Amino acid sequence: MPLLRTALLSLLALLLGAAPAAAAPGFLGRGHDPGVAVDAAGTAHVAWLARAGEAGSLEYCQVRRGTRRCALRRSIGLPEDGFGKVQVLLRPGIVQIIAPLLRPAVLATSVDGGNTFALGTIGRETPAIETAVYGPGDFISLMSGSGPASFGRFSADGNGPSNLPTTFGSASESLETALAPWGSGLVAFFSGLLARSVLWNGLGDPNLQESWVEGPRLGAVDNPRGVGGRRGTWISYVNRRRDATYVRKLRTSGRLGRAVRVVRDDPFDTTFAQGPRGDMALV
């Protein structure tokens, strides 16, 4: 079983022209498909899936700022081992973890800062999930991790549609997907031969197809990843023709800002995050 290690690269430093900073890796446990979110105090909330005999477990760990070990560790029993990316969502005092199983996905909720968790489900036929974000409002928005690119919005307790009802592209158009906050709404990116996007401005029901409009196109790039927060909405992507990874800001107008190259490399996969204070990390 793979070892889970932590390391962060400061993207904000790259954007400002400063030297990037990296944290030394630390061993957290054994498992696969980790997800992470960082709270306002700089504590990383990490969760991942693991096999436990004939069943599975959801592992949860808090890593305080400047440290490399779990300050709080919990194991949550699951009926089976899962597959796909674990999602970690934070609100003040509340930790929610979405663990993709065969169907439906598990929703683990803690109202005491990660000390104890109650298990529920989100949807009834939720497929593999690429991204989960809070909001707008008291909702959880999900983006599928495989084609066709699909979206669904659920209440914070997991109630909502049975599956992801809004579809943006065919399976060949959505080999990779991303979802991020954008102003009062959301932006979804998906890519096959070309990378496209769709925008929801916060008006109407995002579970209805007609609430979304076509957004900017990125062209022949891979690995679109989106983040939103204090510094606005940003998209990262890999341009394999140029052997480089770039970031661009998505303006409130729906137009893309200039492309900034952050590294001369074309990794197979990337993870992009923005913290509560606007710090961004691309791993």
Side-chain angles (χ1 to χ4, degrees):
M1 188 174 291
L3 306 183
L4 298 179
R5 299 181 180 273
T6 59
L8 291 179
L9 171 68
S10 172
L11 174 62
L12 181 60
L14 290 172
L15 293 175
L16 297 180
F27 174 69
L28 299 183
R30 295 178 181 273
H32 57 93
D33 294 302
V36 61
V38 180
D39 64 24
T43 297
H45 298 253
V46 189
W48 63 93
L49 294 167
R51 181 174 293 279
E54 296 300 316
S57 69
L58 176 61
E59 303 296 316
Y60 171 72
C61 163
Q62 289 184 11
V63 183
R64 292 173 181 162
R65 186 186 184 108
T67 67
R68 294 183 291 165
R69 297 186 180 278
C70 297
L72 175 67
R73 176 74 183 270
R74 295 289 184 265
S75 294
I76 306 161
L78 298 176
E80 61 191 44
D81 192 10
F83 66 96
K85 295 183 178 180
V86 173
Q87 308 291 324
V88 183
L89 300 171
L90 302 177
R91 288 184 292 171
I94 299 176
V95 181
Q96 290 191 287
I97 304 170
I98 299 172
L101 303 185
L102 185 59
R103 287 184 185 180
V106 165
L107 177 64
T109 301
S110 171
V111 296
D112 56 9
N115 213 28
T116 60
F117 284 88
L119 288 185
T121 60
I122 185 163
R124 293 186 297 277
E125 298 178 6
T126 40
I129 298 162
E130 177 64 31
T131 313
V133 299
Y134 268 136
D138 191 23
F139 294 95
I140 297 173
S141 295
L142 302 182
M143 186 76 178
S144 67
S146 58
S150 303
F151 168 89
R153 184 173 72 161
F154 301 80
S155 61
D157 62 4
N159 287 323
S162 62
N163 55 12
L164 305 184
T166 307
T167 300
F168 302 130
S170 67
S172 61
E173 291 179 301
S174 39
L175 302 178
E176 297 166 314
T177 64
L179 180 71
W182 171 67
S184 299
L186 297 165
V187 57
F189 284 91
F190 46 100
S191 68
L193 294 176
L194 299 174
R196 297 169 49 205
S197 70
V198 288
L199 302 169
W200 174 58
N201 65 5
L203 301 177
D205 183 356
N207 284 334
L208 298 177
Q209 198 85 33
E210 56 266 30
S211 297
W212 296 79
V213 298
E214 190 77 13
R217 300 191 176 207
L218 291 171
V221 301
D222 296 325
N223 290 114
R225 300 287 182 262
V227 296
R230 187 171 180 178
R231 293 187 180 271
T233 301
W234 292 75
I235 180 75
S236 70
Y237 56 89
V238 176
N239 190 319
R240 302 206 184 280
R241 294 178 180 177
R242 298 184 179 181
D243 295 325
T245 301
Y246 295 83
V247 297
R248 299 178 74 172
K249 186 173 184 177
L250 179 62
R251 298 170 177 151
T252 55
S253 65
R255 296 178 179 272
L256 289 169
R258 70 181 183 91
V260 178
R261 187 183 65 207
V262 293
V263 62
R264 288 182 178 274
D265 194 9
D266 57 345
F268 176 76
D269 196 12
T270 58
T271 298
F272 197 16
Q274 182 175 170
R277 295 182 295 182
D279 299 320
M280 290 184 284
L282 179 63
V283 180

